[in-house]
C-alpha cells in the first residue's frame, strides 16, 4: 500500500510501537516527523528511517502543551510542505492502585495521553482543514481503556477518553474529509514483557528468534510491534477513506472491531422507578446478565506451561 506524497506525524516514535509505526509509514512512502522526549531516540529513529531510503525529520518535545503540538505541525509543513496523517502514540505509565495513586501520578498520565492527544489532534485538524484535502487522524487506545485494568486508573481513564474523542471528532471532521479512528494495539513491548504469563514466552522468542506461540498470537492477540503496523498504514491510506469513528484492535494474528457502548437491556415502569422497584427486578430483569470488566487474565494452555 503506497503513501507516496503523504506527510505524517507520529508522537512518541523514538522506540517501541511508535517507532514501528513511523518506519512502516516511511516504508510505504510517507515523509515522517518523528517525536519523542529523548533527543537521542529521535536522532536514532530518523537515522533508521533515512538510512533505509525514507524521509524523516525529528522534534524532541513532550506532548501535552499546545506549543509542542504546534511545533510538530509547523515542522511537518516546514520540512515537507503539508500534513496528511497524525498518529498520537506518545504515552507514559504511573501505575498505582486507587488508594496509593497521587495527584502527580494521575495528572502526568492524563496530560501526556489525553491532553497530548487533544492538543496534537487540534493542531493537525486546523492544518488539514486549511489544506482542504482531507486527512487521517489515528489515535492510539488500549484494552485498558476499553475494559479497565487493575492499578491503571489514570491510564485506563485517559485511553477511554481517547476512544470517546475518536467518535466525537469523526462527527466533527467528517465534512472536511478527515477520518478519525482509535487503534487498540497489543504487542510485546517493555510493558507487556512484565506480565508474568507472557514474560517467559516473549523471552524465549527473543532468545531464539522463533515466533511467539500460536495460542499467544491468536487467543491473546499478542505479537510483535511490527504486527500492528499494517493497520496503521491501512488507516493512513485512501483504502480507508470511508473508515471513521471506529475502535479497531490488532495484535499478533488478531484483527478486531470493538463495540461501542450501548444499552444492553431496557425495562420500563409507568411513573418511573423507585429504589424498591429496581431492587425487586434487578437480578431477573435489566441486571440479569451484568457486563464483565477488566482485561481477562491470559489463558495459558496446559501444554505450554
Amino acid at each position: 500500500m503506497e503513501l507516496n506524497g503523504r506527510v505524517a506525524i507520529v508522537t512518541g516514535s523514538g522506540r517501541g510501537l511508535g517507532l514501528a509505526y513511523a518506519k512502516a509509514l516511511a516504508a510505504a512512502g510517507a515523509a515522517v516527523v518523528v517525536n519523542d522526549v529523548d533527543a537521542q531516540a529521535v536522532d536514532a529513529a530518523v537515522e533508521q528511517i533515512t538510512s533505509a531510503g525514507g524521509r524523516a525529520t525529528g522534534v524532541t518535545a513532550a506532548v501535552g502543551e499546545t506549543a509542542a503540538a504546534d511545533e510538530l505541525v509547523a515542522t511537518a509543513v516546514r520540512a515537507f510542505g503539508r500534513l496528511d496523517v497524525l498518529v498520537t502514540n506518545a504515552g507514559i505509565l504511573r501505575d498505582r492502585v486507587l488508594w496509593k495513586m497521587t495527584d502527580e501520578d494521575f495528572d502526568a498520565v492524563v496530560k501526556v495521553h489525553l491532553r497530548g492527544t487533544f492538543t496534537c489532534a487540534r493542531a493537525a485538524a486546523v492544518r488539514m482543514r486549511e489544506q482542504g484535502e482531507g486527512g487521517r487522524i489515528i489515535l492510539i487506545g488500549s484494552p485498558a481503556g476499553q475494559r479497565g485494568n487493575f492499578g491503571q486508573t489514570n491510564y485506563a481513564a485517559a485511553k477511554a477518553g481517547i476512544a470517546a474523542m475518536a467518535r466525537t471528532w469523526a462527527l466533527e471532521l467528517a465534512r472536511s474529509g478527515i477520518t478519525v479512528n482509535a487503534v487498540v494495539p497489543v504487542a510485546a513491548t517493555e510493558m507487556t514483557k512484565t506480565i508474568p504469563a507472557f514474560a517467559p514466552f516473549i523471552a524465549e522468542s527473543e532468545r531464539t528468534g522463533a515466533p511467539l506461540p500460536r495460542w499467544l498470537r491468536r487467543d491473546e492477540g499478542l505479537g510483535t510491534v511490527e504486527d500492528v503496523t499494517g493497520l496503521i498504514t491501512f488507516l493512513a491510506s485512501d483504502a480507508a477513506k470511508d473508515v471513521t469513528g471506529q475502535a479497531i484492535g490488532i495484535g499478533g494474528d488478531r484483527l478486531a472491531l470493538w463495540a461501542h457502548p450501548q444499552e444492553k437491556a431496557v425495562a420500563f415502569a409507568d411513573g418511573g422507578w423507585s429504589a424498591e422497584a429496581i431492587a425487586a427486578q434487578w437480578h431477573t430483569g435489566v441486571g440479569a446478565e451484568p457486563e464483565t470488566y477488566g482485561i481477562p487474565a491470559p489463558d495459558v494452555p496446559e501444554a505450554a506451561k
Side-chain angles (χ1 to χ4, degrees):
M1 193 162 289
E2 293 187 354
L3 298 176
N4 294 330
R6 306 290 175 89
V7 178
I9 296 169
V10 184
T11 68
S13 50
R15 55 178 61 82
L17 281 166
L19 176 58
Y21 301 154
K23 291 168 67 175
L25 292 171
V32 179
V33 177
V34 172
N35 159 254
D36 203 277
V37 294
D38 183 340
Q40 290 185 331
V42 169
D43 292 343
V46 170
E47 171 62 23
Q48 287 185 52
I49 291 169
T50 56
S51 64
R55 295 185 297 155
T57 190
V59 174
T60 301
V63 301
E65 298 296 341
T66 295
D70 290 345
E71 177 58 23
L72 286 167
V73 173
T75 298
V77 175
R78 184 168 58 247
F80 304 117
R82 56 184 298 108
L83 176 63
D84 303 283
V85 180
L86 170 69
V87 182
T88 59
N89 174 75
I92 61 172
L93 292 176
R94 297 291 187 272
D95 292 355
R96 300 284 190 279
V97 290
L98 173 59
W99 55 94
K100 292 184 178 181
M101 185 169 288
T102 67
D103 292 355
E104 292 76 17
D105 292 332
F106 186 86
D107 291 345
V109 169
V110 169
K111 181 176 182 180
V112 176
H113 286 278
L114 193 61
R115 195 169 192 270
T117 295
F118 159 67
T119 55
C120 289
R122 180 179 59 186
V126 168
R127 176 63 195 183
M128 291 174 182
R129 293 181 76 248
E130 288 174 350
Q131 290 173 178
E133 300 175 32
R136 305 286 183 267
I137 298 178
I138 303 167
L139 314 180
I140 304 302
S142 167
Q146 304 296 106
R147 297 188 56 85
N149 197 30
F150 189 94
Q152 292 193 317
T153 293
N154 44 13
Y155 180 74
K159 290 300 191 182
I162 286 169
M165 289 195 297
R167 295 189 286 268
T168 301
W169 296 341
L171 292 169
E172 295 177 348
L173 295 171
R175 291 184 62 182
S176 299
I178 301 169
T179 65
V180 188
N181 293 283
V183 170
V184 183
V186 180
T189 63
E190 293 305 314
M191 182 173 71
T192 54
K193 289 176 185 178
T194 65
I195 299 173
F198 295 161
F201 302 100
I202 295 174
E204 181 65 10
S205 175
E206 290 180 342
R207 185 183 69 82
T208 65
L212 290 166
R214 189 173 188 270
W215 70 268
L216 199 55
R217 291 184 57 84
R218 286 180 172 254
D219 298 342
E220 303 297 332
L222 179 70
T224 66
V225 293
E226 288 75 22
D227 288 321
V228 179
T229 61
L231 177 58
I232 301 297
T233 303
F234 164 70
L235 290 175
S237 75
D238 287 338
K241 65 180 183 297
D242 59 349
V243 181
T244 194
Q246 304 303 302
I248 308 169
I250 190 166
D253 298 329
R254 181 192 292 259
L255 176 67
L257 182 66
W258 281 87
H260 291 172
Q262 58 185 325
E263 293 178 337
K264 178 181 177 180
V266 179
F268 300 93
D270 291 339
W273 289 92
S274 68
E276 291 78 11
I278 294 171
Q281 73 86 48
W282 180 259
H283 292 293
T284 57
V286 168
E289 297 181 4
E291 293 289 274
T292 61
Y293 54 90
I295 299 173
D299 185 14
V300 184
E302 286 297 325
K305 294 180 180 177

